[in-house]
PDB file of all heavy atoms in Angstrom:
ATOM      1  N   LYS A 194       6.054  28.177  26.752  1.00 94.00           N
ATOM      2  CA  LYS A 194       7.169  28.425  25.832  1.00 94.00           C
ATOM      3  C   LYS A 194       7.131  27.476  24.626  1.00 94.00           C
ATOM      4  O   LYS A 194       7.216  27.909  23.469  1.00 94.00           O
ATOM      5  CB  LYS A 194       8.510  28.262  26.572  1.00 94.00           C
ATOM      6  CG  LYS A 194       8.616  29.134  27.827  1.00 94.00           C
ATOM      7  CD  LYS A 194       9.959  29.010  28.507  1.00 94.00           C
ATOM      8  CE  LYS A 194      10.245  27.625  29.081  1.00 94.00           C
ATOM      9  NZ  LYS A 194       9.376  27.245  30.216  1.00 94.00           N
ATOM     10  N   THR A 195       6.999  26.180  24.931  1.00 94.00           N
ATOM     11  CA  THR A 195       6.957  25.204  23.837  1.00 94.00           C
ATOM     12  C   THR A 195       5.729  25.443  22.960  1.00 94.00           C
ATOM     13  O   THR A 195       5.779  25.262  21.734  1.00 94.00           O
ATOM     14  CB  THR A 195       6.966  23.775  24.411  1.00 94.00           C
ATOM     15  OG1 THR A 195       8.177  23.601  25.146  1.00 94.00           O
ATOM     16  CG2 THR A 195       6.906  22.739  23.306  1.00 94.00           C
ATOM     17  N   THR A 196       4.651  25.849  23.581  1.00 95.00           N
ATOM     18  CA  THR A 196       3.432  26.117  22.810  1.00 95.00           C
ATOM     19  C   THR A 196       3.670  27.216  21.773  1.00 95.00           C
ATOM     20  O   THR A 196       3.206  27.107  20.629  1.00 95.00           O
ATOM     21  CB  THR A 196       2.284  26.518  23.758  1.00 95.00           C
ATOM     22  OG1 THR A 196       2.112  25.489  24.726  1.00 95.00           O
ATOM     23  CG2 THR A 196       1.000  26.739  22.995  1.00 95.00           C
ATOM     24  N   GLN A 239      12.776  20.243  22.192  1.00 84.00           N
ATOM     25  CA  GLN A 239      13.104  19.898  23.572  1.00 84.00           C
ATOM     26  C   GLN A 239      13.377  18.395  23.697  1.00 84.00           C
ATOM     27  O   GLN A 239      14.255  17.970  24.423  1.00 84.00           O
ATOM     28  CB  GLN A 239      11.921  20.298  24.459  1.00 84.00           C
ATOM     29  CG  GLN A 239      12.244  20.393  25.929  1.00 84.00           C
ATOM     30  CD  GLN A 239      11.117  21.075  26.705  1.00 84.00           C
ATOM     31  OE1 GLN A 239      10.080  21.448  26.166  1.00 84.00           O
ATOM     32  NE2 GLN A 239      11.346  21.254  27.992  1.00 84.00           N
ATOM     33  N   ASP A 315      14.465  24.886  21.578  1.00 94.00           N
ATOM     34  CA  ASP A 315      13.700  24.662  22.807  1.00 94.00           C
ATOM     35  C   ASP A 315      14.589  23.909  23.796  1.00 94.00           C
ATOM     36  O   ASP A 315      14.846  22.729  23.616  1.00 94.00           O
ATOM     37  CB  ASP A 315      12.437  23.848  22.479  1.00 94.00           C
ATOM     38  CG  ASP A 315      11.410  23.942  23.595  1.00 94.00           C
ATOM     39  OD1 ASP A 315      11.731  24.506  24.659  1.00 94.00           O
ATOM     40  OD2 ASP A 315      10.287  23.444  23.397  1.00 94.00           O
ATOM     41  N   GLU A 316      15.074  24.623  24.808  1.00 91.00           N
ATOM     42  CA  GLU A 316      15.965  24.047  25.828  1.00 91.00           C
ATOM     43  C   GLU A 316      17.139  23.306  25.185  1.00 91.00           C
ATOM     44  O   GLU A 316      17.358  22.129  25.468  1.00 91.00           O
ATOM     45  CB  GLU A 316      15.197  23.035  26.704  1.00 91.00           C
ATOM     46  CG  GLU A 316      13.958  23.576  27.345  1.00 91.00           C
ATOM     47  CD  GLU A 316      14.243  24.313  28.647  1.00 91.00           C
ATOM     48  OE1 GLU A 316      15.434  24.446  29.008  1.00 91.00           O
ATOM     49  OE2 GLU A 316      13.281  24.783  29.254  1.00 91.00           O
ATOM     50  N   VAL A 346      14.819  29.106  23.850  1.00 94.00           N
ATOM     51  CA  VAL A 346      14.049  28.898  25.070  1.00 94.00           C
ATOM     52  C   VAL A 346      14.985  28.253  26.081  1.00 94.00           C
ATOM     53  O   VAL A 346      15.684  27.296  25.762  1.00 94.00           O
ATOM     54  CB  VAL A 346      12.856  27.952  24.806  1.00 94.00           C
ATOM     55  CG1 VAL A 346      12.178  27.564  26.107  1.00 94.00           C
ATOM     56  CG2 VAL A 346      11.873  28.598  23.851  1.00 94.00           C
TER      57      VAL A 346
HETATM   58 MG1  LIG C 188       8.681  23.232  26.871  1.00 83.90          MG
END
Side-chain angles (χ1 to χ4, degrees):
Chain A
K194 305 183 295 293
T195 299
T196 304
Q239 197 168 2
D315 197 352
E316 305 276 3
V346 171

